[in-house]
Every structure is written in structure tokens, then in C-alpha cells.
Amino acid sequence: VTPAEAAERLLQGDLRALSRAITFLENEPAAAASILRRIYPTAGSAQVIGITGPPGAGKSTLVDRLITLYRERGLQVAAIAVDPSSPFSGGAILGDRIRMMRSADDPKVFIRSMATRGWLGGLGRATADAADVLDAYGYDVILIETIGVGQDEIEVARLAPVTVLVLTPASGDEVQALKAGIMEVANIFVVNKSDSPGADRFVSFLQQLFTLTDAPAQALPVVKTEAVRGEGVEAVAEAVEERFRSQPSDASFLPWQRRKVERRLQLILQDGLLRQLYTRPGGIEPWVERVLSREIDPYTAAEEVLAAGVTG
Ligand SMILES: Nc1nc2c(ncn2[C@@H]2O[C@H](COP(=O)(O)OP(=O)(O)OP(=O)(O)O)[C@@H](O)[C@H]2O)c(=O)[nH]1
Ligand SMILES: [Mg+2]
């Protein structure tokens, strides 16, 4: 099967073709291009939700609960677990962990893990592409679990239309560290493990935090959950609904959607340009030599490479 054929077949409802297509776009951008070309016009109706947060916060537990909730509403659900190559993963394969859950045998639930072969912006690109593919196939809700630590992971969360940040009362100290990256891309905050001490205090702390920062004019929702018992999960789904509902149905010109499309395009361009530069005849080796011998400085070298173009 070629990528284009996989794309064609998944649009006919072929589940194996869907899996193949995702594997293709995980591995090679060229395949991703031909798949997306085919399926992009069909995608666009699913709710794509990023679930992020520190290790062990309860993301998978929440994803599992959300899957159940959406299934009860008769929706078809897909969940992607991003397998982090980061040292924060604790060694366990997220996808395997999700797969062990209750919804594993439900044919209306699609679960898989994703990884990339370490190229620039690869994880963000591949998950966004996979979400479009799942959307085109017909899933109504697409959940993307990713650890909110590290640039690649934050990129995944940044590209999701709605991002839920799962924290715990114990993550007070982490917030400072998280703030730089993941806090900014979150649209909904969840304080999970509300059965542990300090939950209410942490909720107030977060609410306080938003009134202090100048960033979002509208207060971001903070939802308290106990994911293991399913407590507060409805409220999370409701906050997500609200985020989607607060936009007119034809959202093609809204700033936040625009920013995400812009970012996605940027990542593809970045990667494409770098690839072309590196695969241009002779590569950038001549410039490396000249910088090495101090004939020219690295900035001049970069300018010359760009001026020489990617082909010649
Ligand atoms: N007490 C309590 N434990 C919880 C709650 N939610 C999840 N847990 C537990 O916390 C542990 C981690 O939960 P996961 O759902 O695997 O967390 P995660 O964020 O997906 O973890 P990683 O994928 O490893 O980053 C598990 O033992 C859960 O049972 C909760 O509301 N209360
Ligand atoms: Mg997990």
C-alpha cells in the first residue's frame, strides 16, 4: 500500500488503512504530505483535545474517563498517547498503559501511541497530522495525551485546538517550572487527585495566578477532579465544550485557530527548508569548512547559504 492508497482507503472506512496511514506520517514527511493532501478537506469536524501535564498527574486516567463519557454520549473516540523520548517518561510506554484500560475492546474507540524518529518539530507535526487523519476517518473526539515537559511535547500541546493541563495539589512546586512553557498553551486547568490534601488551596492558587498574570483577559477554567473515581470528569468535558462553543461554528478566521494553523505551517516550512538545505548538492559542507578556518563567520555563512538557495 502506498500512502496515497492508504489515505483513499481510510476515507472508505478501512481501519487497517487508517493505522497504516498514521504509521506512514509518523515516519516520513513526504508520505504525510500525500496523505494530508487527500484527507485534509474531509477533516475539520472533530473535537481535538490535548491532555497534558507532569508525569503521573493522572492524564491517562482522565483520558480513560473521558473516553467512557464520550462513548456514553454515542460519540466515536480516538486517543493518541505520545510516547516521549524524554527522560521524564519513567520508561513506561504510554500507549500500552492506555491500551490496558476499559475501552480497549470497544470497536468505536481507537487507541494508539505515537513516536517520531527525532526530526525537528516532528512530534508536533505528526500528532497534528494524525488528528486530521482520525478526524477525516470519522472520529468525533480525538484525545492526545502528552507529558507537558520538553519542547517537543509542548509543541504537541500548542497545536491541539484545546489543551487541558492536568496538575495535582502536589504540583505546586512544578508550576513555577512548568510556567515557562506549558502554562501558556493551556486553555483549561484540571486539579486532579482532589482526594489528596491541599486541592482547594491549589485551585484558589491557580485562579489567583490568572488574575495576576496579564496574559489571558478571560479567566481560564479551573476544574477539580478525582479521575480514578470519575469525579469532575463531566465538568472537564463541559469546559471543553464551552471552549469550542465560545467560537462561532465557522471559525476559520478566529485568532486562536489562525495561530495554530500558522504554527503548523511554520513547523512544516522549518523542517522542509532544513531538509532541503542539507540535501542540496554539496550540502553545507563548504561553508562549514570556511567557518572552521575562520575565513568567514557563521552568520555570514548562513546568509550565503540562504542566498545560494536550496537548489543550487
Ligand atoms: N489518589 C488519586 N490517584 C489518582 C487519581 N487519578 C489518577 N491517580 C493515580 O495516579 C497514578 C498515575 O496516573 P496516570 O493516569 O497513569 O497518570 P499519567 O499522568 O498518565 O502518568 P504518565 O503518563 O506516566 O505521565 C495512577 O496510579 C493513578 O491511579 C486521583 O484522582 N486520585
Ligand atoms: Mg499516562
Side-chain angles (χ1 to χ4, degrees):
V1 201
T2 66
E5 284 163 357
E8 201 57 52
R9 289 187 201 174
L10 78 89
L11 290 176
Q12 320 291 317
D14 182 337
L15 189 62
R16 284 190 51 193
L18 173 66
S19 282
R20 281 302 296 274
I22 294 176
T23 304
F24 274 131
L25 57 83
E26 232 172 356
N27 292 331
E28 16 165 343
S34 77
I35 292 167
L36 265 284
R37 203 167 291 134
R38 184 67 188 87
I39 62 93
Y40 197 78
T42 310
S45 51
Q47 290 196 350
V48 182
I49 308 163
I51 308 286
T52 189
K59 301 179 291 297
S60 298
T61 313
L62 181 64
V63 164
D64 184 43
R65 288 290 179 174
L66 285 170
I67 291 173
T68 306
L69 179 144
Y70 288 121
R71 287 299 298 126
E72 281 166 8
R73 294 181 182 179
L75 300 171
Q76 298 198 45
V77 191
I80 300 172
V82 173
D83 280 346
S85 45
S86 75
F88 301 101
S89 67
I93 309 286
L94 300 174
D96 287 351
R97 250 191 268 166
I98 289 194
R99 225 170 274 126
M100 281 187 264
M101 295 186 198
R102 271 161 300 179
S103 8
D105 312 320
D106 185 340
K108 304 271 188 197
V109 175
F110 180 93
I111 291 167
R112 80 170 267 165
S113 57
M114 282 194 74
T116 44
R117 316 289 168 251
W119 41 282
L120 188 82
L123 207 54
R125 179 202 59 85
T127 43
D129 291 353
D132 271 333
V133 166
L134 292 162
D135 184 342
Y137 181 85
Y139 289 100
D140 305 297
V141 178
I142 298 153
L143 300 160
I144 304 172
E145 177 185 340
T146 176
I147 292 178
V149 188
Q151 281 312 307
D152 278 359
E153 303 274 330
I154 288 169
E155 201 62 66
V156 172
R158 197 201 308 276
L159 289 173
V162 169
T163 295
V164 177
L165 176 58
V166 183
L167 298 166
T168 67
S171 51
D173 295 340
E174 283 162 356
V175 167
Q176 227 27 51
L178 287 167
K179 232 181 128 178
I182 203 71
M183 295 289 277
E184 270 102 85
V185 305
N187 311 113
I188 295 160
F189 288 75
V190 164
V191 175
N192 189 40
K193 306 197 184 181
S194 60
D195 49 315
S196 48
D200 290 320
R201 212 172 336 119
F202 191 52
V203 168
S204 323
F205 167 76
L206 286 174
Q207 282 163 342
Q208 205 73 34
L209 195 68
F210 300 145
T211 59
L212 293 177
T213 53
D214 51 343
Q218 81 280 29
L220 296 171
V222 182
V223 182
K224 205 169 67 165
T225 62
E226 188 183 345
V228 270
R229 299 203 305 124
E231 298 283 335
V233 177
E234 289 264 357
V236 175
E238 184 50 42
V240 169
E241 277 306 309
E242 189 52 43
R243 168 81 180 169
F244 280 108
R245 215 178 10 235
S246 65
Q247 314 295 344
S249 57
D250 178 14
S252 39
F253 298 106
L254 288 160
W256 65 276
Q257 290 214 323
R258 220 192 162 80
R259 274 201 307 279
K260 286 179 196 289
V261 169
E262 213 170 82
R263 182 66 193 156
R264 191 168 172 194
L265 197 52
Q266 252 174 30
L267 287 175
I268 296 170
L269 281 169
Q270 252 176 41
D271 184 71
L273 283 172
L274 279 182
R275 258 160 209 280
Q276 287 187 36
L277 285 173
Y278 282 110
T279 55
R280 73 194 291 287
I284 57 167
E285 202 45 44
W287 285 277
V288 173
E289 287 302 328
R290 290 166 67 202
V291 173
L292 203 55
S293 65
R294 296 201 178 263
E295 182 193 329
I296 52 172
D297 66 278
Y299 288 91
T300 307
E303 269 172 31
E304 282 188 19
V305 172
L306 288 172
V310 289
T311 49

